[in-house]
Amino acid sequence: MNRVPPVDPGLQPERTSLAWARTLLALVICGVLFVRWVPQYGWFALLLITALLGAALGIYVSQRIRYRRSLKGMRSGVLTADVATVLVTSAVVIAVGAAGICGVLFQPLHE
C-alpha cells in the first residue's frame, strides 16, 4: 500500500473539529427555535427540543475523543471516518425534521 503524506499535516483534525462544532451549533439553534412551538404544541415541541439538544450534547461530549483519534490517525498515516456518529446525527436530524412536519400537519394546537 502506497501512502501519500498529507499536504497539510495536522490541519485535517482541526477542520473536522470545526465542522463538528458548526453541526453542534446548528442543532442547538434549531432546538432553541422550537421553543417558540411550546405554547402551541406543548410536550411535542419539548420532545423535539430534547432530541436536538441531546444530539448536540452527544457531539460535545464525544468531540475530544474524535479529535484525539484524528491526531493519532494523522501520525500513523491511517485515518478512519467516524461513520457511526455521522449516521446517528443524520438520523436525528431527519427524524426531528419528519416529526416536526408531521406535528404541524397532524398535531392539534393547544390554545
Side-chain angles (χ1 to χ4, degrees):
M1 180 182 199
N2 188 6
R3 293 190 183 166
V4 177
V7 177
D8 58 352
L11 294 180
Q12 181 60 41
E14 191 67 29
R15 285 194 306 265
T16 303
S17 178
L18 290 172
W20 279 110
R22 287 189 302 269
T23 302
L24 182 145
L25 182 62
L27 292 174
V28 169
I29 289 172
C30 287
V32 169
L33 289 174
F34 278 130
V35 169
R36 294 184 63 188
W37 285 19
V38 173
Q40 290 84 17
Y41 294 101
W43 66 269
F44 182 73
L46 292 174
L47 182 69
L48 297 178
I49 293 167
T50 303
L52 288 170
L53 295 181
L57 181 64
I59 290 172
Y60 178 76
V61 168
S62 61
Q63 180 57 28
R64 185 171 300 273
I65 295 167
R66 276 193 305 278
Y67 186 76
R68 286 184 185 155
R69 193 177 302 148
S70 294
L71 287 177
K72 287 180 185 178
M74 287 297 294
R75 287 185 196 119
S76 68
V78 180
L79 286 172
T80 56
D82 190 3
V83 178
T85 305
V86 172
L87 290 177
V88 169
T89 304
S90 299
V92 167
V93 169
I94 290 169
V96 167
I101 291 170
C102 290
V104 168
L105 295 176
F106 303 116
Q107 184 77 14
L109 293 174
H110 301 204
E111 296 196 42

